[in-house]
Amino acid sequence: MSRLPTKDEILDWISDHPGQTSKRDIAKAFGIKGAARIDLKRVLKELEADGHLEKRRKTYRDPDRLPPVSVLLVTPDADGDLFARPLEWQGDGPEPRVLILPRAGDPALGEGDRILARLAEVKAESHAYEARMIRRVGTNPLKVLGIFRKTAEGGRIVPIDKGADREWMVPGGETHGAKDGELVEAESIGPKNRLGLPKARVVTRLGDPSAPKAVSLIAIHQHGIPDDFPDAAIAEADRQTPAGLSGRTDLREMPLVTIDPSDARDHDDACWAQPDDDPKNAGGHVIWVAIADVAHYVRPQSALDREAWKRGNSTYFPDRVVPMLPDRLSGDLCSLHEGVPRACIAVRMRIDAGGTLIDHRFERALMRSVASLNYQEVQAARDGAPNDRCAPLMDDVIAPLYAAYEALTRARALRQPLDLDLPERKIELDDEGRVTSVAFRERLDAHRLIEEFMILANVAAARTLEKTRRPLLYRVHEEPAPEKLDALREVAQASGLTLAKGQVLKTAHLNRLLAQAEGTDFDELINISTLRAMTQAYYSPLNLGHFGLALRSYAHFTSPIRRYSDLIVHRALITAHGWGDDGLSPEDIERLEDTATHISETERRSMLAERDTTDRYLAAFLSERIGTEMTGRISGIQRFGAFVKLDETGADGLVPIRALGREFFHFDRDSQTLMGADTGTVIGLGQRVTVRLAEAVPVTGGLVLDLVELEGRGLPSGQAARTRRGRPARRPLAAASRKVTRRRR
């Protein structure tokens, strides 16, 4: 029989595993079975009587211990050591003292700074915990991006923003060693004076304005993406405190988990599933999806609301995020951190064995995630190799999630949403902002599981609001335009494939075309061409359906941290259920159409900024490989040349028409081909090519290529590329910015 753990061992376990604190969890952790459970119960009762534990229904928590991740307020001592106090202390005794252990690369911290930190309990005279910073929250200096110009007094910053009408003065001690002509990021210092130049300190030297580390900042400014929060919004966020249980359903015992990318900054959705115990629904499942209750903190017409509306959505770059909400909310109060109580709006959904949604209900609740997991570890656990974090969750959490997902895949197969296979690129950067690798993101069942759960929750939200006749914003995706379908049909026929004509188009027809191409040389071409035929999804108060997902009613509900559309849907649900006075306001309803138009535009703005940044990073990465031969496929034909998608990186480059040879090439728009007048050489979509990288321009993201081989054969005699000093003509470079982008659902 296993040894009964000591009281200290039990307390240590509860502190390290705040989401697994039921008697059953504790017994399982220490291998206690049978009659020994009675002894365990006695020890827990003693700990409770002594005030070391607090029992909440069937779980225990130590009221005098902090969760493993917490928000701290920095309070340095007289000796300069960084101490902090917890902002969410729930114990009855005095607040524990926390020592911050800075690491190389951490920003400098001072009195009053707030940080999100990971804690470890220690036994020391001066402090009870040691903390490693995850990120700083709540700071709000005005940011400036510009070119540094050295002066006798220090320097000046000339902003690169077109709308900037003044320079900034940098005192001598605040230049951070910046050199003349460097691109720098600075922040305002001192009071805002009416007379004279405002002052700023250089916080980051970005070097050459065309260097990789600068490109996302340039994109932010070029596309007019707001990246400074107004003081009023920051102050409003800083005043927020964690929501309590009042007026909410208590879901803290439910083993909800978050599953996100390994580098995720926030966790706004959690899920759990179990077999349905209703005998009338044999083989069915109950799925819970819990979403951060952003509406509780972001009230209509508040400073936070006005700024969130202005931004419309968060924007993601390889090296940074421009969030829709300040980090105090997006990275803290609205992030479903492991072991921390968080406000949420949850939906309970019942599906049958075939994955059809039978019924659902929404709850305004308080939850506590039992684990913050990433896709790779969840998939490894499913495949038989669980790590220490996933092993205790296999039977009660991970296996039921996949069982429910399998049912949903059966419903998906019947519904036939558009099944595009377009791998996404992942750009890895080093600390200096240089690209170290470009790879395609691995697509796992764990990704698809979360995607299917979120789609189901979005459908449930739309149906509920329709049933209660509440205004909402739909996610609309209309059918392709006839002329775009004709172009796709031409590409299919040129590839030896067929897309039927003369019938009402359904996604199933397009899926059959994609299935014909799968595994052939035209696989990627048909996927890209099908994507190009699609219309851009947008938001609307009118329900026009979602063609790509093959759904009649669809609304975005699952990401209110990063999309304003979801916040509107949350408010509509609050109003529909009578949950409080923070629901949909008359002003929200009055400007619903304007909001739909605005956030559709901000989404497109973010997509363009993200795409431009990716293109520039790829060009910077490839700029060191000038003259290298690479393989790819013709992905586009224009009068001025042919676009090639490179196999290794997925980057798009241009083979200019002047680089194709001395003969005249005729452009056929209908067949999407270029034909040589002398040799009869035909260059068309989908052809395999070998190219030589002639030019890579990080500032524009443009790539210029020389054609070396076409379909495995050298160019015909007399068709050598016409170049100047080894480089093709540069006139078409501007056109090289045309890229394929993945439509957002």
Side-chain angles (χ1 to χ4, degrees):
M1 186 175 73
S2 299
R3 176 182 65 84
L4 190 69
T6 66
K7 291 180 179 180
D8 285 341
E9 287 173 336
I10 292 174
L11 291 174
D12 288 340
W13 163 261
I14 291 173
S15 178
D16 293 338
H17 303 82
Q20 302 173 43
T21 55
S22 68
K23 185 177 74 174
R24 178 186 177 189
D25 291 329
I26 298 168
K28 188 174 182 180
F30 292 98
I32 299 172
K33 301 178 181 179
R37 287 175 176 264
I38 299 175
D39 294 328
L40 174 63
K41 184 177 181 180
R42 173 182 52 77
V43 174
L44 293 174
K45 286 286 186 182
E46 291 174 2
L47 286 169
E48 185 181 355
D50 293 339
H52 296 299
L53 287 181
E54 177 187 9
K55 187 172 184 181
R56 293 192 173 185
R57 298 180 69 178
K58 296 182 179 179
T59 64
Y60 291 86
R61 61 180 291 276
D62 186 344
D64 292 311
R65 291 194 179 186
L66 291 171
V69 175
S70 189
V71 178
L72 308 175
L73 182 69
V74 179
T75 55
D77 66 5
D79 297 327
D81 290 326
L82 285 177
F83 285 95
R85 66 179 186 86
L87 291 180
E88 296 186 38
W89 174 242
Q90 298 179 9
D92 296 327
E95 293 178 342
R97 202 176 190 208
V98 182
L99 175 65
I100 301 171
L101 303 178
R103 290 170 294 195
D106 282 354
L109 297 175
E111 179 78 35
D113 282 339
R114 283 188 174 92
I115 64 169
L116 183 69
R118 190 170 297 279
L119 306 181
E121 192 171 7
V122 297
K123 294 180 180 179
E125 292 184 6
S126 62
H127 56 281
Y129 291 86
E130 291 180 349
R132 295 283 189 180
M133 186 177 73
I134 298 174
R135 71 180 71 95
R136 184 164 53 179
V137 299
T139 56
N140 191 41
L142 181 64
K143 296 178 182 177
V144 183
L145 183 72
I147 305 299
F148 179 80
R149 295 301 180 190
K150 195 170 183 61
T151 66
E153 297 80 16
R156 291 192 180 190
I157 295 175
V158 181
I160 65 170
D161 188 353
K162 294 179 181 178
D165 59 355
R166 60 180 177 179
E167 298 179 356
W168 292 74
M169 182 178 72
V170 182
E174 303 289 355
T175 64
H176 199 55
K179 297 179 180 179
D180 189 74
E182 280 189 322
L183 183 70
V184 297
E185 186 178 20
E187 61 183 23
S188 59
I189 56 175
K192 299 177 181 177
N193 299 321
R194 292 186 177 181
L195 300 176
L197 294 177
K199 295 180 180 180
R201 70 162 61 91
V202 175
V203 293
T204 307
R205 294 170 56 194
L206 300 169
D208 182 353
S210 64
K213 197 172 183 179
V215 296
S216 61
L217 292 172
I218 292 172
I220 288 168
H221 282 70
Q222 283 185 334
H223 291 276
I225 296 173
D227 63 338
D228 294 317
F229 283 102
D231 291 340
I234 289 293
E236 197 170 273
D238 286 348
R239 288 194 299 267
Q240 303 287 349
T241 57
L245 185 58
S246 177
R248 297 179 180 273
T249 303
D250 192 349
L251 299 182
R252 287 175 294 178
E253 291 183 36
M254 185 176 291
L256 290 155
V257 296
T258 62
I259 305 176
D260 296 288
S262 56
D263 57 353
R265 289 176 55 87
D266 51 58
H267 312 279
D268 58 359
D269 58 81
C271 58
W272 181 57
Q274 64 181 149
D276 193 354
D277 57 9
D278 185 349
K280 296 180 181 179
N281 188 28
H285 304 268
V286 176
I287 299 173
W288 282 87
V289 170
I291 307 298
D293 188 358
V294 176
H296 174 82
Y297 302 100
V298 183
R299 301 286 181 121
Q301 314 311 313
S302 64
L304 283 169
D305 183 47
R306 289 192 296 271
E307 186 64 17
W309 188 92
K310 178 182 177 182
R311 295 175 180 231
N313 50 265
S314 299
T315 307
Y316 295 84
F317 300 102
D319 63 335
R320 71 188 63 231
V321 177
V322 180
M324 187 179 79
L325 299 171
D327 203 38
R328 169 65 171 153
L329 298 182
S330 61
D332 180 17
L333 294 178
C334 295
S335 192
L336 309 179
H337 294 302
E338 178 180 333
V340 182
R342 284 291 179 255
C344 67
I345 293 180
V347 56
R348 178 186 186 271
M349 301 172 288
R350 293 175 65 235
I351 61 173
D352 62 20
T356 301
L357 182 61
I358 299 173
D359 59 50
H360 63 275
R361 75 168 189 268
F362 284 86
E363 304 274 3
R364 202 171 198 184
L366 193 69
M367 62 157 286
R368 181 164 46 212
S369 168
V370 300
S372 295
L373 307 175
N374 64 60
Y375 291 115
Q376 287 73 22
E377 64 183 337
V378 170
Q379 189 63 51
R382 172 63 173 175
D383 294 340
N387 60 14
D388 292 340
R389 290 165 48 78
C390 291
L393 304 172
M394 286 302 301
D395 295 338
D396 296 333
V397 178
I398 294 176
L401 285 175
Y402 274 89
Y405 163 65
E406 289 168 3
L408 290 176
T409 60
R410 291 190 280 273
R412 179 185 176 90
L414 291 174
R415 197 176 81 244
Q416 286 276 307
L418 189 60
D419 191 20
L420 287 172
D421 181 19
L422 292 168
E424 297 183 48
R425 287 170 295 191
K426 182 176 182 180
I427 295 176
E428 297 284 354
L429 306 176
D430 62 17
D431 293 339
E432 301 301 319
R434 291 185 295 266
V435 181
T436 57
S437 67
V438 179
F440 292 100
R441 293 182 186 272
E442 190 178 12
R443 183 74 168 155
L444 305 171
D445 277 347
H447 292 99
R448 299 183 180 94
L449 181 153
I450 294 300
E451 182 177 296
E452 289 300 318
F453 280 22
M454 297 305 114
I455 289 173
L456 192 66
N458 289 337
V459 169
R463 290 183 182 178
T464 292
L465 295 176
E466 286 179 337
K467 185 177 180 179
T468 56
R469 298 186 178 182
R470 299 292 173 180
L472 74 149
L473 287 178
Y474 292 94
R475 181 63 167 175
V476 171
H477 185 221
E478 297 186 72
E479 295 181 9
E483 58 271 19
K484 289 194 174 183
L485 276 179
D486 289 340
L488 175 60
R489 196 171 283 110
E490 291 283 349
V491 174
Q493 290 175 353
S495 305
L497 309 173
T498 58
L499 175 62
K501 194 174 183 179
Q503 56 184 317
V504 177
L505 182 71
K506 296 181 180 179
T507 49
H509 301 140
L510 296 173
N511 285 341
R512 281 198 284 272
L513 172 63
L514 294 167
Q516 292 176 53
E518 187 175 0
T520 71
D521 288 342
F522 302 101
D523 194 345
E524 185 178 12
L525 170 67
I526 295 300
N527 272 272
I528 292 173
S529 300
T530 302
L531 175 67
R532 287 175 177 166
M534 294 299 104
T535 60
Q536 175 73 52
Y538 62 95
Y539 295 102
S540 172
L542 301 177
N543 184 14
L544 301 176
H546 198 295
F547 175 78
L549 291 175
L551 292 169
R552 293 181 180 178
S553 300
Y554 192 66
H556 275 166
F557 156 75
T558 54
S559 293
I561 286 179
R562 62 184 180 91
R563 294 188 303 225
Y564 194 83
S565 59
D566 303 51
L567 178 56
I568 290 292
V569 169
H570 276 231
R571 288 176 180 167
L573 289 168
I574 291 168
T575 300
H577 291 88
W579 285 333
D581 60 358
D582 50 354
L584 209 58
S585 69
E587 291 81 6
D588 285 334
I589 297 171
E590 183 179 352
R591 67 171 184 174
L592 206 55
E593 190 169 343
D594 289 342
T595 296
T597 301
H598 172 71
I599 63 177
S600 296
E601 291 172 352
T602 61
E603 180 185 51
R604 284 191 286 273
R605 176 181 68 186
S606 292
M607 290 175 64
L608 289 172
E610 291 167 4
R611 186 199 68 185
D612 288 351
T613 300
T614 297
D615 292 345
R616 290 186 176 110
Y617 274 123
L618 287 173
F621 178 62
L622 293 172
S623 63
E624 299 177 358
R625 300 169 65 180
I626 300 297
T628 302
E629 292 188 3
M630 307 172 184
T631 59
R633 190 180 294 277
I634 302 291
S635 60
I637 298 290
Q638 292 292 335
R639 189 178 304 278
F640 49 77
F643 286 96
V644 174
K645 181 172 285 293
L646 301 176
D647 293 332
E648 182 183 350
T649 61
D652 289 297
L654 175 68
V655 179
I657 196 74
R658 293 184 177 184
L660 291 176
R662 294 179 175 84
E663 63 181 320
F664 174 79
F665 273 84
H666 173 71
F667 171 57
D668 189 326
R669 185 181 301 276
D670 293 333
S671 65
Q672 289 288 289
T673 58
L674 290 167
M675 177 178 288
D678 299 330
T679 63
T681 299
V682 176
I683 300 174
L685 294 173
Q687 290 177 318
R688 296 290 303 170
V689 295
T690 299
V691 294
R692 183 182 297 108
L693 181 61
E695 191 171 355
V697 187
V699 173
T700 65
L703 301 177
V704 178
L705 310 170
D706 290 334
L707 188 60
V708 177
E709 289 185 348
L710 182 67
E711 294 287 1
R713 298 185 299 274
L715 299 180
S717 176
Q719 201 177 333
R722 181 172 49 189
T723 63
R724 295 180 180 178
R725 295 183 182 179
R727 291 191 175 189
R730 298 184 53 153
R731 188 179 65 178
L733 256 181
S737 63
R738 183 184 70 90
K739 302 287 184 246
V740 176
T741 59
R742 185 171 185 174
R743 301 291 196 266
R744 299 190 178 185
R745 293 180 174 175

